[in-house]
Amino acid sequence: DSGVTQTPKHLITATGQRVTLRCSPRSGDLSVYWYQQSLDQGLQFLIQYYNGEERAKGNILERFSAQQFPDLHSELNLSSLELGDSALYFCASSVGPTGVGSPLHFGNGTRLTVT
Amino acid sequence: AQSVTQLGSHVSVSEGALVLLRCNYSSSVPPYLFWYVQYPNQGLQLLLKYTSAATLVKGINGFEAEFKKSETSFHLTKPSAHMSDAAEYFCAVSDSQGAQKLVFGQGTRLTINP
């Protein structure tokens, strides 16, 4: 058990809808990272927050947004969903602002299916 | 820009045989390199990491990897495969300047034959 909790585990929704994925980082970790895993794109870094502030942005679409709350949990909001957004979304956390000195701890992911 | 190439999307070995999973990286600065393992329906778990302290890195579950700068490689090995090693393995790179994101390879699915 990595200590990172992601909810829900599965999500099925229709095109055009909006969903929110939630992540609770490991106790003591201040950084939260979001990754998307799909068959064609592999594991893609989306965005990182450190102690409530956006730290780094990767291949995140404008339809997607995220935030980290004062209690350090994070939410990833996906809107105007398209079939191609179907993927496994991972949250990871680390102690510091970079995942280099301290490793990333991954949650078990939220599997999103857009129909 | 950094990148990682994993040679072979699927590797199959017999139980007790040597496991060799290949990873080549591209980085304009000294890299930090990682191997992660993903078991079915689970998140990624860190196997080992290279951060310039030693070129031969030992990880969990008997795995190790050797950093070879001249070959820009960071191949993962295990002397004797076990059935429980069946999983997907990802190589990742991060630049040593403290970049926040990891760039992952496409993954290699390891199958162990009894």
Side-chain angles (χ1 to χ4, degrees), chain B:
Chain B
Q2 301 157 296
S3 66
V4 169
T5 302
Q6 291 184 240
L7 299 177
S9 59
H10 193 182
V11 170
S12 182
V13 303
S14 298
E15 190 175 17
L18 171 71
V19 175
L20 171 60
L21 305 182
R22 300 177 187 273
C23 171
N24 287 88
Y25 70 91
S26 172
S27 178
S28 58
V29 297
Y32 286 176
L33 294 159
F34 306 79
W35 276 99
Y36 281 82
V37 60
Q38 184 180 25
Y39 297 102
N41 301 315
Q42 293 186 27
L44 282 75
Q45 179 183 0
L46 180 67
L47 271 180
L48 50 81
K49 66 177 182 180
Y50 166 76
T51 57
S52 76
T55 57
L56 183 62
V57 182
K58 293 188 183 299
I60 62 172
N61 302 338
F63 284 93
E64 63 182 35
E66 186 172 9
F67 172 71
K68 291 187 177 181
K69 184 178 179 180
S70 60
E71 299 178 8
T72 61
S73 69
F74 190 56
H75 301 331
L76 181 71
T77 61
K78 181 173 180 177
S80 177
H82 191 272
M83 295 299 290
S84 61
D85 294 327
E88 185 138 20
Y89 292 79
F90 292 90
C91 183
V93 63
S94 177
D95 75 48
S96 59
Q97 303 307 307
Q100 289 79 13
K101 63 177 184 178
L102 290 179
V103 176
F104 285 89
Q106 286 295 101
T108 297
R109 184 167 298 278
L110 176 64
T111 302
I112 311 297
N113 302 313

Side-chain angles (χ1 to χ4, degrees), chain A residues 65-80:
Chain A
S65 65
Q67 55 184 325
Q68 186 179 27
F69 295 87
D71 67 353
L72 301 178
H73 90 272
S74 177
E75 293 181 356
L76 178 67
N77 300 297
L78 315 177
S79 61
S80 303

